Amino acid sequence: MRWWDIDPVLELERDLFPEDAWSRGMFWSELAHARGPEANRRYVVAESGPGIVGYAGLVATGDQADVQTIAVARERWGTGLGARLLAELLRAATAFECAEIMLECRVDNVRAQKLYERFGFEPIGVRRGYYQPGNVDALVMRLTTPENSVQGTEING
């Protein structure tokens, strides 16, 4: 993801997460830490034709990484794009030498939970009222072997 991707990413973000969408400033801040020798973030986009149909991001701190966001356009649900984006984040976590990856997922987002479980993430707790302003709980999930979870997966574009 580059700065010129922010506007189309924001359109998708607002469509998919109307109550708790990230702001332009949040994406700019994340991208500011994604390049250069001190980079500790990896953000990717998936494009189809002239448009962005998915994006994902991860931050690494020490030996732990956190999936910050994964989003796929509704018309691409069920196509495997979410899995390819997640695989790219797991490869980035391995490159950052992270031994563990954490994420939060809305408790009502069963589709995402099933994706994460397929990659080996396990639920370890709940954060009450994590997603605001809707006051929706988050399921906390953890993966401890990211390098073993991405074999045989690739992302193009």
Side-chain angles (χ1 to χ4, degrees):
M1 183 184 300
R2 302 296 293 267
W3 66 266
W4 54 79
D5 295 320
I6 291 177
D7 283 341
V9 163
L10 280 172
E11 286 181 34
L12 192 52
E13 176 83 1
R14 290 177 187 135
D15 176 54
L16 296 170
F17 312 111
E19 288 187 358
D20 48 13
W22 283 22
S23 69
R24 180 182 318 279
M26 290 170 76
F27 280 108
W28 271 104
S29 178
E30 289 298 296
L31 291 182
H33 299 283
R35 300 187 61 81
E38 301 297 317
N40 69 339
R41 286 163 174 75
R42 173 83 169 128
Y43 278 78
V44 296
V45 295
E47 298 174 322
S48 177
I52 290 176
V53 294
Y55 58 91
L58 171 132
V59 60
T61 307
D63 66 349
Q64 181 176 309
D66 289 284
V67 172
Q68 299 295 295
T69 187
I70 294 182
V72 173
R74 294 176 199 279
E75 67 271 13
R76 295 299 178 105
W77 287 2
T79 65
L81 180 56
R84 292 191 306 274
L85 289 166
L86 180 56
E88 182 64 23
L89 295 184
L90 297 182
R91 280 191 283 278
T94 299
F96 283 126
E97 300 181 354
C98 295
E100 166 178 88
I101 302 176
M102 306 289 290
L103 62 80
E104 291 87 17
C105 179
R106 289 175 63 109
V107 294
D108 58 358
N109 191 344
V110 177
R111 174 187 296 269
Q113 291 170 32
K114 289 187 182 304
L115 169 65
Y116 301 138
E117 288 170 357
R118 281 197 341 249
F119 277 79
F121 282 86
E122 297 178 341
I124 61 167
V126 173
R127 293 188 185 191
R128 302 278 177 221
Y130 182 79
Y131 293 99
Q132 295 297 327
N135 201 37
V136 178
D137 295 346
L139 180 65
V140 180
M141 302 181 82
R142 176 177 58 201
L143 175 67
T144 56
T145 55
E147 67 281 354
N148 295 334
S149 298
V150 295
Q151 294 176 0
T153 58
E154 286 191 31
I155 185 169
N156 295 316

